[in-house]
Amino acid sequence: MEDDLQQPSTATEELYHTNLLRLQAAQLLSESILPLSSHIGTLENEVKWAKDVWQYIDNIKRILSSLKGTVLSPDDVTLQSHDKKESSQQQSQRFWVKLHSDKAKKHLDNMLKDESSKDRNHRFDFEFPGGDHLKVTPIGSYAANGAGLTTSVANANVVPTLDLAVLMPVKSKFEEEDADDKVGMIGGKDYLNGRYFDKRNILAVYIAKFLSQKKQRKIVGSVHLVHELDGDYRKVSLILTPPLSSDTSYDKQPKKKSKGEDGSANKKNKKKNKIRFRVRLVFGVQFDGARNSPDNNTGWIPPARLFPDRCNNKVAEIDGQETTNGATPTYNNSLAGDMHFASNTEILYSVAHGAQKAFTESWTLLKIWCLQRGFLRGRDTFTETSLGMSLAYLYRSKMVSSRMDSIQVFTVWMKFMGDQDWLGDKEPSKKKGSEVNDTTIRHSAHGGYQDLDIRSTRGKKYRAGIVMPDELSTEKQTILNCIQNRLYASDVKKQSSTTTDKSEDIPKTLLESFKLSTDSPVFLDPSMTINYFGNMSPSFIRELQNEAKKALECIHFHRDNNSEEASAHRVDPFRQLFLENIRFWNRYDAYLCLDLNDIAIPYLDNTNANRRFWGYDAQDRGCYESIANGLVKVLNMALGNRTHSLRLLTSGNGDTKGPSSTTTLGDIGTTTILESDEIPMIPIRQSGDSANLGYGKNDICRPFLQASGKMEMLYIGLQINRDACHKLVDRGPPANDTKATSDFVALWGQRKAQLRRFKDGAIVHAVVWNEPEENKAISNFLYESGDKVGDIVERIIQHILWGHFVKSDSQLSPNVKFQLRNLVSLVEGAKNINADTKVAMIDSAEGAHKSIASAYEKLATFFKKNSELEPVGLNESISKLGLPLSIDRVEPLSPALRYTACFPQLPHPLLGANVAGSKKIAGAISNDPILIQIRFEGSSKWPNDISAMGAAKCAMLMQIAEGIEAMKAKREPGSEVFDGPMNVSPTFIDFGYGGYCWRAIIRADQEMKMLRTLHNPSPEATALLQALTKNHVKKSLHHFIVHGVTSKYPAAGYVVRLLNRWIAGHMLSGQISHEAVELLVVSVFTDPSPFDTPNTVSSGFLRCLQLIAEHDWLKKPLIIDPEGHIHTDDRCTILSQFEEMRGVNFHHGPSMFIISPIDRNDDGLWRPSFTQNLPEKVVLGRLRALAKRSHQYLMNCLKSGKDSNSFKWSSIFLESPDSFKSYCALFRVDQDNIVDSTCSSSSSDLGVHEVDGILKTPYRRSMEKLSLGLKAFKRTAYKNLNTSSSEALLYGFKPVDEAVATLRSHFGQYALFFFNEHCPDMIAMLWRPKTFERLPFSAMQAEFCTPTDYQWEENALVTKNSNDILRAIRCVLRHVIVDFKVLDDRSIKDTVTTGETAPKAKRKLSDDDSSDDSD
């Protein structure tokens, strides 16, 4: 019945969210779609400069047609160096493009010979018949009625680029080689061994040089060369940028100048100077064929040569190796792609014309969604064509209709891409004939090895594969009518009749052959020669499917409001889908940087053990692609389920927020252009300082990424599985499976994979990861408890790289570490082998927290057990502690009990701990006591008066102390662990137990109940109730929320501690509560949208800084709901109350409005419990600015490569000298009051050092300092030392902290005070802006006032005397500081006779500057 009542509201809510998303998408589309088409006049609201585009392209066609015929060769792509010191021979070995073919290699080798020994037969010359034989035609989005074209804002800040195909003529079958009227360029066996690619690239460079000539510049503009085409590094393309000059016009007739030229003409010139579009020249081939002829699909290439199981790139013929050349499906696919530019455009145009507006809008939304995630225009990503084709497939296969709107089509595409079994990963055991079933080798839950050989053969046969249907046809009919498919079937019949192999091993259909020949997903064109998804890796598809599923959850998040898997609510669905940047550097938990020069180059030597699992596809993909795919494949094999995803950095992952580099007003014709796609556009007109060095003969094709600044760097991103990353054992296959065992040993190496006996009696090979590292270098250390946050993953990657990829002479292994991994050193110790218990406790923060938690459990048990009432006499009962009531609960409140204390206490020998080996001990504990609260059972014995209630609680505390002493005197069990002095105050008791200092308070629910029942409570009673509720109820609930998060997410506790170190390092201690910091971290880990939950310390810390810097604290509350306790209605209430509290101008209420489930008050209002008063607005502003700068600096360190594993990041934890100058006064603290100087905000050594064979991190050094306490209170440890000594042990002794608290209490209305709680060597002060405003005189508020003796105004006769305030502050700090300096002198100056103020001058503060009051 209740569910039925909720259905109408759910339906209404769903309708609201859907309509809201539609409205937001409509607004986005109105600003994103670029109405521009090659068919002028067909689009509504076409851009005004559409005619200019058409005229520019027409001019390009005209110029290209004027090209004269010539003979081209590799000599035409020689790059002339600007370095005059290089010899001509060295210059001839650098080229604009990489030459791949066997003929080019022979040509270059021949050119190095003497003139007498050169062989003309080894020259690679070919005829270019002239530009009139080229076919130049628009393709892609521009030719498809503008579908998919977007403005630069929606295009990741990249100028819209229009594709123009330059199609080369094909040699006729009847064309003779020695004929004078030859018009063909491509033909014969140019499809073999990269010959076609060399021809197209040489022609591209030749055309680029022609277009960049001075006589063409006024029309063509600048010409740039791009060393890739849609992620294919075999192909180059040209980028043409129209001229920027304002006086250049494509119209032949001059325009009349309008009136008022000075004002309006300048604006028009600015608009004309803006680059509105670019043109990309892509090169392909043209051919004619009959409708039903195979040549219509394959051109000059024999049809069978484009089957995916055929080899067209025989590396043995190029490099002279004796190797068996396998299939080259990627190479074949690249060949086929250049022959179908026109047919692909026809498909896009037909669908766009039929679906009209919906197709264009949905393609635009998909494009924005992909660009925000780095899934478009890069290596191993979608291309513009493949993305549009995937959408066109939905229309042609009737999955969507033209009546559906863009959001509906967008949703269907997400579901389609997410549900398709592209890789065969879904359970195939029910499919007949599949060998991958429940008995497939996966030998234990500890196994990290998978038998990928099964997946790479028969398992892939049953994965999904689709074919683009012909127009007015179904997919099945298209496959049956495909000529290429029929040819393949007949070829299979011939093979079956001639071969002795099992016929079942031969693919029966062409579609099945594509599935078995490649690891990429299969999506074929109607001719079944092109695989649109052929450049995508399995890792990309898995990540795409995960993002697609998240997008679906995001669209329908309101349905799963309380589910743990639902999308987070901090970011609304529209923003999460289309506005948030989730590219490479924001996506992953950990990053690795490799130098490509350290990686072995694959030469297809199958006998080489180092390349048993990779390198065999180098002839198909190229060396760089083979390395990249091999890295991902082998690392995935080794890591197993320890990671969720693993990807290499690709282009298309730059910063979309930065301005476009094309806005530079200089000559871009000689400047390398690099936009957010991070695909460099190399100028053909090179200047002397040009960065392009070209390619050498033996160089491999590789991408250039702005992030690294070099071409030699490889970046790997990993998303770690926190539930499996800590596994210590990888168990191998059964011993009788020799093939799988051989692979297992080959993967891990014979030294690592050793025979071991398991509890089930099996003796198999296994790999164990809790053994010490063989490499003892100081840079190769591990952290305590690091296995929970990715240390084992890091070790596995090092091992695999060293065993399979690194050259034998390389020293890569010690240096390959997770970027920014050493951030952990501030909150955790290094793992030192054979360390004693004391050292281990100092090194391990988690171990210290666990020890405290264990002591707490024992203490809670002691209190509850010994407070049980036992009958004494007839009507009386009393406990062993002498308490009249039983203790019901002992609740934790301390950060040390939820794993978030920066420096947890260490066991102290004077507090009942058995600690040996310490020569010196602390006489004053500098850590805060561990806070707990005691709750008694419900009883009517509590008094009914508020004052009496306080006295009763104090009496209970005194009785607890007396009861413990009495039990110790009687030597009761459990009491011997209590040691040290017991200090009782009216509100708490401090005592020592189990080696730790504790502070216990009493929670009396009867007291709060009594205050709530008051009819007209006084302000004091209201304040008391709020304080009791916050200190006893809300802090207790907050503890359990945070403890649950730190238990579930191991990195969360480290991030809280690291964020506290960062806040303290910037002298903001006490300006934001510890609970607020914990809530920020809880938000990042439980509400991570639009990202995934961070699983490493560095990623969690970066996300926290990003949250602080980017969240709109002024206009949005931060709602934290880890367990889904805040429902939709509650969220609406919170938002309305927040807006009401902020006011119209957003000037009121808490500056940081953080709401958690504990913040619902008895009056129904939601108010922040821990950010009600702090931080103040000025502090929040400084916090946001610091967070933004720190985040940017860390991101730069992350992208910088190997240097990020140094300690350059440590500067974000320090205050710069300039920042100290921004304060008004500085007070230097006496060093005798400083315990730990290593945490100083001004200068600290945050490196890791080896001392006497022990690695000491900053955390370890701080713990050593804290264990000894202040120098003045240090004691010598004796063997029989006891606490009966007259020297009392001080608990929580923090003189500087107490002094700052006094300053904030007494002088907080005049100034803000800043200090570093971990090293308070400096106290900074900043005057409040209103402190020195003129005030009316009042005897009640005359403190620190002084009369003004000039410019008197009504009701403004006095002002505050800064010297008096500073003098009072110095009085408070007289036992703490040794020196001070005033940087902003606000004292009253002498006036001149004219009544005007004297010039401002700085002078030393002295007693004469103040009033008559003295110290």
Side-chain angles (χ1 to χ4, degrees):
M1 181 64 179
E2 185 176 342
D3 294 339
D4 295 339
L5 292 175
Q6 291 179 354
Q7 285 180 359
S9 63
T10 303
T12 304
E13 182 183 345
E14 179 181 350
L15 181 62
Y16 163 76
H17 283 288
T18 305
N19 289 336
L20 177 61
L21 186 59
R22 283 195 178 96
L23 291 173
Q24 292 171 319
Q27 180 64 30
L28 175 66
L29 290 169
S30 67
E31 301 174 2
S32 302
I33 293 178
L34 182 65
L36 180 65
S37 172
S38 61
H39 310 280
I40 295 181
T42 59
L43 297 178
E44 297 180 3
N45 302 321
E46 196 168 35
V47 293
K48 296 179 180 179
W49 41 274
K51 189 176 180 181
D52 291 343
V53 176
W54 182 85
Q55 290 175 346
Y56 180 78
I57 292 178
D58 187 63
N59 288 334
I60 297 299
K61 291 180 180 180
R62 178 174 51 82
I63 293 174
L64 290 177
S65 65
S66 66
L67 275 166
K68 296 182 179 180
T70 184
V71 177
L72 301 177
S73 71
D75 299 335
D76 293 290
V77 295
T78 300
L79 180 63
Q80 297 297 329
S81 174
H82 292 276
D83 189 354
K84 298 181 180 180
K85 296 180 180 180
E86 289 188 1
S87 64
S88 59
Q89 184 175 358
Q90 288 175 322
Q91 293 180 20
S92 64
Q93 294 303 304
R94 308 300 298 181
F95 306 95
W96 278 102
V97 296
K98 171 63 179 174
L99 298 174
H100 302 272
S101 67
D102 52 347
K103 289 189 175 182
K105 183 177 185 298
K106 292 179 180 179
H107 178 97
L108 297 177
D109 292 340
N110 189 54
M111 294 302 294
L112 295 177
K113 297 179 181 178
D114 297 333
E115 290 294 334
S116 58
S117 59
K118 288 184 179 179
D119 189 350
R120 289 184 57 85
N121 294 328
H122 287 171
R123 287 191 60 84
F124 182 31
D125 299 331
F126 59 94
E127 293 284 343
F128 170 57
D132 54 340
H133 294 285
L134 297 175
K135 183 179 180 181
V136 183
T137 179
I139 60 172
S141 294
Y142 179 58
N145 216 25
L149 284 179
T150 58
T151 60
S152 59
V153 175
N155 199 34
N157 280 338
V158 175
V159 176
T161 303
L162 314 179
D163 286 342
L164 199 63
V166 180
L167 303 180
M168 299 174 288
V170 177
K171 293 180 181 179
S172 171
K173 295 181 180 179
F174 307 101
E175 187 175 301
E176 298 181 2
E177 290 293 331
D178 56 351
D180 295 333
D181 57 346
K182 291 189 293 185
V183 297
M185 281 185 59
I186 307 298
K189 293 188 177 182
D190 283 342
Y191 56 84
L192 291 177
N193 302 335
R195 299 169 191 172
Y196 162 75
F197 298 110
D198 280 354
K199 281 189 174 183
R200 77 178 294 283
N201 293 342
I202 291 172
L203 176 64
V205 174
Y206 175 73
I207 290 177
K209 292 180 179 179
F210 177 76
L211 293 177
S212 63
Q213 291 177 0
K214 189 174 182 179
K215 63 181 180 179
Q216 315 287 3
R217 292 176 195 170
K218 288 186 177 182
I219 298 176
V220 176
S222 61
V223 183
H224 288 76
L225 180 71
V226 178
H227 288 106
E228 63 94 41
L229 178 64
D230 296 332
D232 190 344
Y233 298 112
R234 287 190 178 97
K235 305 175 183 178
V236 300
S237 57
L238 301 182
I239 299 294
L240 309 182
T241 305
L244 291 176
S245 176
S246 60
D247 56 9
T248 299
S249 176
Y250 304 117
D251 296 327
K252 298 299 181 181
Q253 297 179 356
K255 296 182 179 180
K256 294 183 179 180
K257 296 181 180 180
S258 59
K259 295 181 179 181
E261 271 185 25
D262 296 340
S264 59
N266 289 336
K267 295 181 180 179
K268 291 182 179 180
N269 289 343
K270 288 183 179 179
K271 290 184 178 179
K272 285 192 174 183
N273 279 330
K274 179 181 179 182
I275 299 176
R276 299 185 183 277
F277 69 95
R278 289 198 182 99
V279 172
R280 181 174 68 161
L281 298 185
V282 298
F283 295 83
V285 293
Q286 50 181 299
F287 58 89
D288 295 319
R291 172 69 180 132
N292 296 322
S293 169
D295 291 343
N296 194 46
N297 299 328
T298 61
W300 92 98
I301 305 177
R305 279 294 185 176
L306 290 183
F307 292 158
D309 57 354
R310 302 303 164 88
C311 177
N312 289 316
N313 191 28
K314 300 179 180 181
V315 180
E317 297 180 5
I318 301 177
D319 296 326
Q321 302 178 35
E322 297 180 359
T323 58
T324 302
N325 293 283
T328 56
T330 306
Y331 180 93
N332 302 348
N333 193 59
S334 184
L335 283 173
D338 277 11
M339 296 185 292
H340 288 274
F341 289 134
S343 61
N344 291 337
T345 302
E346 289 176 3
I347 294 174
L348 294 174
Y349 178 78
S350 65
V351 176
H353 183 72
Q356 296 180 352
K357 187 177 180 181
F359 180 75
T360 300
E361 290 182 347
S362 54
W363 191 354
T364 302
L365 292 179
L366 287 174
K367 185 175 179 179
I368 296 173
W369 182 83
C370 289
L371 285 172
Q372 291 299 99
R373 288 154 181 79
F375 288 171
L376 186 63
R377 295 201 300 256
R379 190 198 71 84
D380 193 17
T381 61
F382 281 112
T383 65
E384 299 270 6
T385 300
S386 62
L387 181 62
M389 287 296 180
S390 65
L391 184 60
Y393 174 82
L394 299 183
Y395 280 92
R396 285 202 168 181
S397 60
K398 310 300 181 185
M399 292 186 184
V400 297
S401 67
S402 58
R403 296 182 178 181
M404 299 173 67
D405 63 26
S406 57
I407 290 296
Q408 290 175 314
V409 177
F410 178 85
T411 305
V412 173
W413 188 90
M414 291 295 169
K415 183 171 179 56
F416 170 72
M417 294 301 298
D419 290 347
Q420 282 288 101
D421 188 12
W422 298 106
L423 306 175
D425 288 339
K426 295 185 179 180
E427 183 56 48
S429 59
K430 296 181 181 179
K431 298 179 181 178
K432 185 177 179 180
S434 173
E435 292 186 2
V436 183
N437 48 45
D438 294 336
T439 62
T440 299
I441 298 173
R442 180 78 184 175
H443 310 287
S444 73
H446 297 283
Y449 173 77
Q450 302 177 52
D451 192 352
L452 298 181
D453 288 340
I454 296 178
R455 286 285 181 197
S456 63
T457 54
R458 288 200 168 187
K460 297 194 298 185
K461 182 190 297 186
Y462 301 97
R463 60 182 176 141
I466 59 176
V467 178
M468 174 70 75
D470 276 322
E471 194 170 11
L472 303 179
S473 179
T474 64
E475 184 175 357
K476 186 175 181 181
Q477 292 172 345
T478 301
I479 296 174
L480 291 176
N481 296 332
C482 179
I483 301 298
Q484 191 79 349
N485 189 41
R486 293 180 184 179
L487 289 174
Y488 181 83
S490 63
D491 188 71
V492 169
K493 288 183 180 180
K494 293 180 182 178
Q495 291 185 34
S496 301
S497 62
T498 58
T499 184
T500 58
D501 297 337
K502 296 181 180 179
S503 59
E504 62 182 20
D505 294 335
I506 302 176
K508 301 296 189 297
T509 65
L510 183 56
L511 182 60
E512 188 176 308
S513 178
F514 269 99
K515 293 179 184 179
L516 293 178
S517 299
T518 178
D519 294 331
S520 301
V522 178
F523 175 24
L524 305 181
D525 75 318
S527 69
M528 298 186 72
T529 56
I530 306 174
N531 183 6
Y532 293 125
F533 290 173
N535 66 324
M536 300 180 188
S537 68
S539 64
F540 170 73
I541 287 297
R542 290 190 181 97
E543 194 157 4
L544 172 68
Q545 290 185 314
N546 290 334
E547 287 295 324
K549 292 175 183 177
K550 287 168 58 178
L552 288 175
E553 290 177 359
C554 184
I555 294 172
H556 304 295
F557 79 94
H558 49 279
R559 298 178 183 175
D560 303 317
N561 190 27
N562 296 325
S563 66
E564 185 178 351
E565 293 81 9
S567 295
H569 302 284
R570 177 163 54 86
V571 179
D572 64 88
F574 173 74
R575 184 174 184 83
Q576 181 172 339
L577 288 172
F578 304 115
L579 302 183
E580 290 290 341
N581 180 8
I582 322 176
R583 292 194 168 193
F584 183 84
W585 294 109
N586 296 322
R587 179 187 297 276
Y588 299 101
D589 294 322
Y591 298 89
L592 284 166
C593 175
L594 308 177
D595 192 337
L596 191 59
N597 294 320
D598 292 331
I599 305 298
I601 305 300
Y603 291 111
L604 309 176
D605 187 359
N606 294 327
T607 62
N608 190 335
N610 284 348
R611 283 179 288 279
R612 178 168 180 172
F613 300 102
W614 71 283
Y616 50 83
D617 57 350
Q619 62 179 350
D620 179 32
R621 298 178 180 272
C623 288
Y624 176 81
E625 287 293 327
S626 179
I627 293 172
N629 285 276
L631 276 169
V632 175
K633 177 184 176 182
V634 180
L635 288 178
N636 276 325
M637 289 172 60
L639 293 171
N641 64 344
R642 287 186 174 94
T643 57
H644 288 304
S645 61
L646 186 150
R647 287 262 290 156
L648 260 69
L649 173 64
T650 70
S651 53
N653 278 283
D655 184 11
T656 60
K657 298 179 182 179
S660 173
S661 62
T662 57
T663 57
T664 306
L665 296 179
D667 184 8
I668 64 173
T670 58
T671 306
T672 300
I673 301 176
L674 195 64
E675 297 180 310
S676 66
D677 279 348
E678 294 192 330
I679 301 174
M681 306 176 198
I682 308 299
I684 295 297
R685 293 190 295 119
Q686 298 234 355
S687 60
D689 56 349
S690 220
N692 180 40
L693 299 178
Y695 286 96
K697 185 179 68 171
N698 298 320
D699 289 347
I700 65 174
C701 283
R702 63 190 73 174
F704 177 92
L705 297 176
Q706 183 185 22
S708 63
K710 299 179 181 179
M711 297 172 64
E712 293 81 11
M713 292 298 172
L714 278 173
Y715 287 87
I716 302 175
L718 303 98
Q719 188 178 354
I720 294 174
N721 180 6
R722 66 176 181 276
D723 297 325
C725 67
H726 59 276
K727 291 189 305 181
L728 295 176
V729 179
D730 286 307
R731 181 172 173 175
N736 57 0
D737 191 341
T738 56
K739 172 64 170 60
T741 300
S742 175
D743 288 344
F744 185 84
V745 175
L747 178 66
W748 297 110
Q750 293 182 353
R751 296 185 62 181
K752 195 67 177 178
Q754 299 181 357
L755 285 172
R756 297 178 183 270
R757 181 187 293 275
F758 289 84
K759 292 183 179 179
D760 58 0
I763 301 177
V764 296
H765 285 86
V767 177
V768 181
W769 296 103
N770 62 349
E771 297 176 346
E773 285 289 333
E774 296 180 2
N775 187 351
K776 303 298 183 181
I778 187 172
S779 61
N780 205 40
F781 65 90
L782 300 174
Y783 289 101
E784 290 286 344
S785 305
D787 54 343
K788 296 183 179 180
V789 290
D791 272 6
I792 291 179
V793 174
E794 186 181 61
R795 293 179 64 185
I796 290 175
I797 293 174
Q798 289 180 13
H799 181 80
I800 292 299
L801 290 176
W802 187 256
H804 292 271
F805 292 92
V806 179
K807 296 177 182 177
S808 58
D809 58 346
S810 175
Q811 297 297 323
L812 175 71
S813 182
N815 297 323
V816 176
K817 296 287 185 181
F818 286 164
Q819 309 290 69
L820 301 179
R821 71 186 296 268
N822 290 327
L823 283 170
V824 188
S825 64
L826 299 181
V827 292
E828 185 61 279
K831 187 174 290 186
N832 288 295
I833 308 301
N834 301 324
D836 55 30
T837 306
K838 172 71 175 178
V839 172
M841 191 72 71
I842 289 179
D843 272 331
S844 176
E846 184 174 358
H849 281 96
K850 285 183 177 179
S851 177
I852 294 173
S854 176
Y856 159 75
E857 295 292 341
K858 295 176 182 179
L859 178 62
T861 302
F862 173 85
F863 275 135
K864 288 189 285 187
K865 180 179 179 180
N866 293 285
S867 66
E868 294 177 354
L869 298 179
E870 298 176 356
V872 179
L874 295 177
N875 298 322
E876 292 187 14
S877 57
I878 196 169
S879 64
K880 291 183 179 180
L881 289 173
L883 297 172
L885 298 175
S886 297
I887 295 177
D888 185 34
R889 296 179 190 173
V890 179
E891 296 176 338
L893 299 179
S894 173
L897 293 172
R898 52 181 182 261
Y899 298 89
T900 62
C902 278
F903 301 109
Q905 285 189 38
L906 293 176
H908 198 286
L910 298 183
L911 297 178
N914 184 15
V915 181
S918 299
K919 297 181 179 179
K920 293 285 185 178
I921 59 174
I925 299 176
S926 300
N927 302 84
D928 290 325
I930 303 169
L931 183 63
I932 58 174
Q933 73 175 0
I934 297 173
R935 294 182 64 179
F936 291 94
E937 63 180 356
S939 175
S940 59
K941 296 181 180 180
W942 290 100
N944 295 326
D945 182 71
I946 296 297
S947 301
M949 181 67 71
K953 290 166 64 176
C954 180
M956 285 288 194
L957 294 173
M958 295 180 64
Q959 183 56 49
I960 289 174
E962 293 175 357
I964 293 173
E965 293 292 348
M967 291 184 65
K968 288 179 64 179
K970 297 178 182 179
R971 301 196 178 191
E972 293 281 350
S975 62
E976 70 279 358
V977 190
F978 287 91
D979 206 346
M982 289 192 184
N983 304 325
V984 180
S985 75
T987 55
F988 61 85
I989 176 175
D990 289 345
F991 59 90
Y993 177 85
Y996 300 102
C997 168
W998 303 80
R999 174 168 293 174
I1001 59 176
I1002 291 179
R1003 171 178 172 178
D1005 294 334
Q1006 183 69 22
E1007 183 179 16
M1008 290 180 282
K1009 183 177 179 181
M1010 189 188 313
L1011 291 170
R1012 291 191 187 99
T1013 57
L1014 296 177
H1015 295 292
N1016 295 313
S1018 63
E1020 293 78 7
T1022 302
L1024 178 60
L1025 176 60
Q1026 292 177 354
L1028 291 175
T1029 303
K1030 176 181 178 180
N1031 294 331
H1032 294 293
V1033 180
K1034 293 187 176 182
K1035 284 191 176 182
S1036 177
L1037 295 174
H1038 171 83
H1039 173 89
F1040 289 108
I1041 290 175
V1042 176
H1043 185 268
V1045 171
T1046 55
S1047 299
K1048 183 177 181 179
Y1049 306 102
Y1054 289 106
V1055 175
V1056 174
R1057 288 174 249 158
L1058 192 60
L1059 193 57
N1060 268 316
R1061 283 291 306 264
W1062 177 78
I1063 290 173
H1066 292 288
M1067 302 184 69
L1068 294 175
S1069 297
Q1071 295 290 354
I1072 179 172
S1073 66
H1074 184 85
E1075 290 82 3
V1077 175
E1078 290 173 327
L1079 288 176
L1080 290 172
V1081 177
V1082 169
S1083 176
V1084 165
F1085 278 84
T1086 62
D1087 194 5
S1089 64
F1091 313 104
D1092 293 310
T1093 301
N1095 294 300
T1096 59
V1097 180
S1098 58
S1099 62
F1101 182 61
L1102 283 168
R1103 300 271 182 86
C1104 286
L1105 294 178
Q1106 188 175 5
L1107 172 62
I1108 295 172
E1110 297 183 359
H1111 185 80
D1112 190 355
W1113 298 103
L1114 190 65
K1115 298 181 180 180
K1116 291 182 181 179
L1118 180 62
I1119 302 176
I1120 300 170
D1121 188 21
E1123 301 295 335
H1125 293 148
I1126 301 177
H1127 301 287
T1128 305
D1129 294 340
D1130 297 325
R1131 291 179 180 273
C1132 295
T1133 303
I1134 293 171
L1135 291 174
S1136 62
Q1137 292 177 0
F1138 168 79
E1139 293 173 356
E1140 181 180 357
M1141 190 176 299
R1142 273 283 186 261
V1144 179
N1145 298 323
F1146 298 96
H1147 290 164
H1148 307 290
S1151 59
M1152 185 177 276
F1153 202 95
I1154 301 179
I1155 293 293
S1156 65
I1158 68 173
D1159 292 327
R1160 190 201 300 267
N1161 292 277
D1162 296 334
D1163 54 5
L1165 298 178
W1166 293 81
R1167 287 189 294 267
S1169 297
F1170 303 110
T1171 58
Q1172 184 70 33
N1173 301 313
L1174 296 175
E1176 299 186 38
K1177 291 182 180 180
V1178 62
V1179 175
L1180 179 58
R1182 175 171 172 77
L1183 194 66
R1184 294 188 66 187
L1186 289 170
K1188 183 178 180 179
R1189 288 171 50 196
S1190 298
H1191 183 267
Q1192 290 176 348
Y1193 186 78
L1194 287 179
M1195 290 302 294
N1196 291 334
C1197 289
L1198 190 67
K1199 300 173 184 179
S1200 64
K1202 294 181 180 180
D1203 289 343
S1204 66
N1205 278 328
S1206 63
F1207 292 86
K1208 292 182 179 179
W1209 48 260
S1210 61
S1211 60
I1212 71 165
F1213 293 91
L1214 302 175
E1215 284 281 81
S1216 65
D1218 291 337
S1219 63
F1220 280 107
K1221 296 178 182 179
S1222 63
Y1223 295 109
C1224 298
L1226 297 175
F1227 303 89
R1228 187 177 300 279
V1229 177
D1230 189 347
Q1231 289 298 313
D1232 291 340
N1233 294 318
I1234 306 300
V1235 177
D1236 178 20
S1237 59
T1238 62
C1239 295
S1240 175
S1241 297
S1242 55
S1243 61
S1244 303
D1245 180 12
L1246 300 183
V1248 177
H1249 307 294
E1250 185 174 4
V1251 181
D1252 297 331
I1254 297 177
L1255 290 173
K1256 294 188 177 183
T1257 65
Y1259 170 82
R1260 162 73 182 258
R1261 296 195 291 269
S1262 295
M1263 291 295 285
E1264 289 177 346
K1265 297 279 188 179
L1266 289 171
S1267 66
L1268 299 176
L1270 289 173
K1271 183 178 181 180
F1273 294 90
K1274 287 182 183 178
R1275 298 186 189 179
T1276 303
Y1278 298 100
K1279 187 174 182 180
N1280 297 321
L1281 184 68
N1282 56 62
T1283 57
S1284 60
S1285 172
S1286 59
E1287 300 180 47
L1289 184 64
L1290 300 179
Y1291 296 147
F1293 185 68
K1294 294 184 174 182
V1296 181
D1297 294 49
E1298 294 176 1
V1300 173
T1302 302
L1303 293 179
R1304 288 172 175 170
S1305 175
H1306 293 172
F1307 306 99
Q1309 57 183 323
Y1310 308 124
L1312 292 170
F1313 297 93
F1314 304 90
F1315 82 116
N1316 180 348
E1317 63 179 338
H1318 302 308
C1319 179
D1321 56 350
M1322 188 77 69
I1323 300 174
M1325 187 194 72
L1326 186 67
W1327 293 116
R1328 293 187 183 275
K1330 295 183 179 181
T1331 299
F1332 300 104
E1333 290 183 353
R1334 299 191 179 191
L1335 305 170
F1337 176 75
S1338 171
M1340 298 291 294
Q1341 299 178 354
E1343 188 179 20
F1344 305 127
C1345 286
T1346 184
T1348 59
D1349 55 356
Y1350 61 95
Q1351 296 181 354
W1352 283 14
E1353 298 177 6
E1354 186 177 359
N1355 294 328
L1357 303 177
V1358 297
T1359 186
K1360 297 297 179 183
N1361 189 336
S1362 63
N1363 293 331
D1364 282 355
I1365 299 175
L1366 286 171
R1367 193 173 184 83
I1369 291 173
R1370 290 169 56 199
C1371 182
V1372 174
L1373 299 176
R1374 62 186 180 277
H1375 299 303
V1376 176
I1377 65 173
V1378 294
D1379 191 14
F1380 77 100
K1381 184 176 183 180
V1382 178
L1383 302 176
D1384 185 7
D1385 190 359
R1386 296 294 186 94
S1387 59
I1388 303 297
K1389 306 297 181 182
D1390 295 332
T1391 59
V1392 295
T1393 58
T1394 59
E1396 297 179 352
T1397 58
K1400 183 180 288 188
K1402 291 186 178 181
R1403 59 187 180 184
K1404 183 180 177 181
L1405 182 66
S1406 63
D1407 294 345
D1408 296 333
D1409 292 327
S1410 64
S1411 62
D1412 294 338
D1413 294 338
S1414 61
D1415 291 326

